[in-house]
Amino acid sequence: MSSFSESALEKKLTELSSSQQSVQTLSLWIIHHRKHSALIVKVWHRELKKAKTSRKLTFLYLANDVIQNSKKKGPEFAKDFETVLVDACSHVAREAEESCKKPMERLLNIWKERSLYRADFIQQLKLAIEDSNSPRPSEEKKPVKRSYQKVQEEEDEEDDDYRSHSSPHTTDISGTQLTEELVKALQDLENAASGDAAVRQKIASLPQEVQDVSLLEKITDKDAADKLSKTVDEACLLLAEYNGRLAAELEDRRQLARMLTEYIGSQREALSEREKKLEEYKQKLARVTMVRKELKSHIQSLPDLSLLPNVTGGLAPLPSAGDLFSTD
């Protein structure tokens, strides 16, 4: 079971996905560390504003899970979240897509039905959503200021797209990039959850009481019940966290399978191109070999000038230019 720290919470919020498993796993971890509720809510609020637009609604789902499931253990989270929810709801409604508003309204209705918050506070949250003026129509969106680096990257992408139609090395480059990504994905799986023997041993070592309801009859005093309750909470957290890691590993392996399929496809394309090139150069070699053979044959058919008779015989040599213009 991981201990609490602000950096650990930030990391877990960064890794939070929209899956139910991910939300519930982190919710259990947060509730387990409820004595840090004020700091947890502060970090949650801060990371919510830093999160990508597509992930902001997930932060509200996490808050909902924590608020509802921590109610029996104490009111800490409900009270601490109350201090930031108006701003959080306004922020999400303003920054997220229009489609996020209906899920947010359903969430508020659930809170109202289950009396998690007062009716006037729920109304305040609804007004925050309605007054957010979100989302802005696409034609009214302010242009995003791009950094020089971003502009350069976009220009490089355009150049790459152009070169893909004109450069014979494009396949080699993309193949190299895919190979590097594939190697990295394989290396990442070396530390996958399924290979974590230490955690598996912890799970295997859990007492039978946390797995067999019939054994609860043996508990006769409150101290034993409280001790078992703590053990069960720890077991739930351990299993939920490990299940979350296994689910993430499963997704990583699916992604790896897709990458392998793509890699095999790219290698088949590269093989086909190389076979075409090989055939092309074989034909060139055959043509050059034919020219070489014909040239050799042609050279052999030429007369040997060294075998011709001496046509000058004993004749005197021709006069030189000096002799021709001599006055003697």
Side-chain angles (χ1 to χ4, degrees):
M1 184 189 310
S2 56
S3 59
F4 177 82
S5 69
E6 188 171 342
S7 59
L9 176 58
E10 289 175 352
K11 184 174 184 297
K12 288 179 180 293
L13 287 171
T14 301
E15 296 170 348
L16 178 66
S17 72
S18 58
S19 71
Q20 183 179 1
Q21 179 71 52
S22 179
V23 171
Q24 290 179 344
T25 300
L26 183 51
S27 175
L28 278 171
W29 185 84
I30 288 174
I31 293 171
H32 181 76
H33 296 290
R34 59 186 177 278
K35 65 181 180 180
H36 303 286
S37 62
L39 179 58
I40 288 172
V41 171
K42 179 182 175 182
V43 174
W44 173 89
H45 191 209
R46 183 179 69 221
E47 295 300 311
L48 164 68
K49 294 193 171 183
K50 290 163 58 176
K52 293 181 179 179
T53 301
S54 59
R55 300 181 64 242
K56 293 184 184 295
L57 186 60
T58 304
F59 273 68
L60 287 182
Y61 287 153
L62 174 63
N64 170 64
D65 200 281
V66 171
I67 292 167
Q68 292 203 54
N69 291 309
S70 66
K71 188 178 179 181
K72 294 180 180 179
K73 296 180 180 294
E76 303 97 333
F77 281 110
K79 289 181 178 179
D80 289 329
F81 270 110
E82 186 174 356
T83 63
V84 300
L85 277 175
V86 173
D87 182 67
C89 287
S90 176
H91 171 78
V92 175
R94 183 173 61 254
E95 298 294 329
E97 301 296 330
E98 178 69 25
S99 58
C100 290
K101 280 191 173 183
K102 287 185 178 180
M104 290 175 68
E105 290 172 356
R106 284 198 299 270
L107 206 58
L108 299 186
N109 290 332
I110 290 172
W111 291 354
K112 184 178 180 180
E113 291 169 4
R114 299 182 181 179
S115 301
L116 295 174
Y117 288 110
R118 305 179 314 276
D120 61 322
F121 182 67
I122 298 293
Q123 184 60 31
Q124 192 178 351
L125 294 176
K126 289 184 176 181
L127 288 174
I129 296 173
E130 292 171 2
D131 294 343
S132 62
N133 296 321
S134 164
R136 294 173 292 275
S138 57
E139 62 271 16
E140 294 178 4
K141 285 185 179 178
K142 294 181 181 179
V144 178
K145 184 177 180 181
R146 299 176 298 168
S147 65
Y148 173 76
Q149 182 181 357
K150 182 65 175 176
V151 173
Q152 288 297 107
E153 288 175 355
E154 291 177 358
E155 289 178 353
D156 290 343
E157 288 175 1
E158 291 177 358
D159 291 342
D160 290 342
D161 184 60
Y162 170 76
R163 285 194 293 269
S164 68
H165 298 285
S166 58
S167 172
H169 304 294
T170 303
T171 302
D172 292 337
I173 295 172
S174 60
T176 301
Q177 292 173 343
L178 186 57
T179 301
E180 291 174 354
E181 291 174 1
L182 190 58
V183 170
K184 185 179 183 303
L186 288 168
Q187 289 174 340
D188 290 343
L189 283 175
E190 289 181 0
N191 299 318
S194 59
D196 194 336
V199 174
R200 293 205 313 272
Q201 182 59 39
K202 284 183 180 179
I203 294 172
S205 302
L206 289 173
Q208 193 64 26
E209 288 80 3
V210 305
Q211 306 174 55
D212 190 347
V213 178
S214 64
L215 297 178
L216 296 178
E217 297 176 358
K218 295 181 179 180
I219 299 176
T220 57
D221 60 273
K222 188 175 184 300
D223 289 340
D226 289 341
K227 184 179 179 181
L228 180 59
S229 177
K230 183 180 179 181
T231 304
V232 169
D233 285 346
E234 292 176 350
C236 283
L237 184 59
L238 176 65
L239 288 166
E241 191 169 356
Y242 190 59
N243 283 337
R245 290 176 59 198
L246 287 173
E249 179 189 340
L250 184 60
E251 182 56 37
D252 288 343
R253 291 190 182 278
R254 284 175 180 153
Q255 177 64 22
L256 178 60
R258 290 191 288 269
M259 290 174 66
L260 284 169
T261 301
E262 184 179 351
Y263 183 75
I264 292 171
S266 69
Q267 291 304 306
R268 284 175 176 167
E269 289 179 4
L271 177 61
S272 178
E273 290 180 7
R274 298 306 183 275
E275 287 175 343
K276 290 178 182 178
K277 284 291 183 183
L278 177 59
E279 187 61 31
E280 179 183 337
Y281 284 112
K282 278 183 177 180
Q283 293 176 4
K284 286 184 179 181
L285 175 61
R287 288 196 294 270
V288 171
T289 302
M290 180 62 69
V291 170
R292 181 172 177 270
K293 182 179 179 181
E294 291 295 328
L295 179 60
K296 186 176 181 181
S297 176
H298 181 68
I299 291 173
Q300 290 177 346
S301 67
L302 292 175
D304 187 351
L305 297 180
S306 64
L307 300 177
L308 293 176
N310 187 354
V311 295
T312 59
L315 298 177
L318 294 174
S320 65
D323 295 335
L324 292 175
F325 295 100
S326 176
T327 56
D328 295 340

